Amino acid sequence: MKPEFIDLNSIPDIISKDSFCKICHMSKRTATKYLGTAIPCSDNGKKSHRYSITKADLISFLERYPERHNITVLPPVCRYSKTAFNSLPLSEQVVASMHEYYEQLLRSEKEILRVIDICRITGYGKTAVNTWFNSGDLCYVVIRGAKHTAKESLIDFLSSDGFDKIFRKSEWHLRQIEILRHWF
């Protein structure tokens, strides 16, 4: 079984016993055995939200017992927050240049694209593409029970603020950001 990686930036400074159980993939009964002995915590005596564990204590626990829970702690690095233009609204000139770039990139694609085609092009999964459809960011039509979009609609979406502000970017998206940085 491969170890699961934990991003330390996503963990708050103080967590509850429930969060501790989810992070370490253990039952509440097992967690109660560790609390106060192997991992320091504060106990307020209430029936719910009783234990408070600091991030530093959690990290030291995970470093002492990584083999028990098949967990590896990542260094505190922001892995997915790369954005093309520092999350500032894109200017009309930048949007026009991006539109031109994506038109050239997708010129060999069909005029009507299915969800599978969009997944192949962008590197995102079906769930993400359907979320774009359902939120109205990407226009679509239903043909024989399947969602389709025009290539021009996809190009408009790829050169929009909404696509630029996606937090967890695919590898393809990150490559396009690097290319676009050199493009300008």
Side-chain angles (χ1 to χ4, degrees), residues 1-18:
M1 187 159 84
K2 291 173 107 177
E4 181 178 330
F5 294 98
I6 297 175
D7 185 8
L8 297 178
N9 290 332
S10 64
I11 299 174
D13 291 333
I14 296 178
I15 61 170
S16 65
K17 176 177 140 184
D18 290 338

Side-chain angles (χ1 to χ4, degrees), residues 91-129:
S91 68
E92 290 180 25
Q93 180 184 4
V94 170
V95 170
S97 298
M98 289 173 67
H99 198 277
E100 179 183 333
Y101 169 75
Y102 285 121
E103 279 179 347
Q104 289 178 7
L105 186 68
L106 301 177
R107 69 178 169 263
S108 63
E109 294 293 332
K110 299 179 286 187
E111 289 299 316
I112 302 295
L113 301 169
R114 299 173 299 163
V115 172
I116 296 169
D117 299 327
I118 298 169
C119 293
R120 178 181 45 80
I121 292 168
T122 62
Y124 289 99
K126 291 180 182 179
T127 305
V129 174

Side-chain angles (χ1 to χ4, degrees), residues 52-137:
S52 299
I53 305 160
T54 63
K55 184 193 275 188
D57 292 333
L58 172 69
I59 293 169
S60 65
F61 172 78
L62 292 174
E63 287 171 348
R64 274 185 285 155
Y65 305 106
E67 69 284 347
R68 286 192 183 170
H69 307 291
N70 207 23
I71 294 172
T72 302
V73 178
L74 289 174
V77 175
C78 191
R79 297 178 296 156
Y80 293 109
S81 65
K82 295 180 180 177
T83 57
F85 303 99
N86 299 327
S87 296
L88 296 173
L90 301 175
S91 68
E92 290 180 25
Q93 180 184 4
V94 170
V95 170
S97 298
M98 289 173 67
H99 198 277
E100 179 183 333
Y101 169 75
Y102 285 121
E103 279 179 347
Q104 289 178 7
L105 186 68
L106 301 177
R107 69 178 169 263
S108 63
E109 294 293 332
K110 299 179 286 187
E111 289 299 316
I112 302 295
L113 301 169
R114 299 173 299 163
V115 172
I116 296 169
D117 299 327
I118 298 169
C119 293
R120 178 181 45 80
I121 292 168
T122 62
Y124 289 99
K126 291 180 182 179
T127 305
V129 174
N130 283 315
T131 301
W132 301 336
F133 284 148
N134 294 336
S135 67
D137 291 335

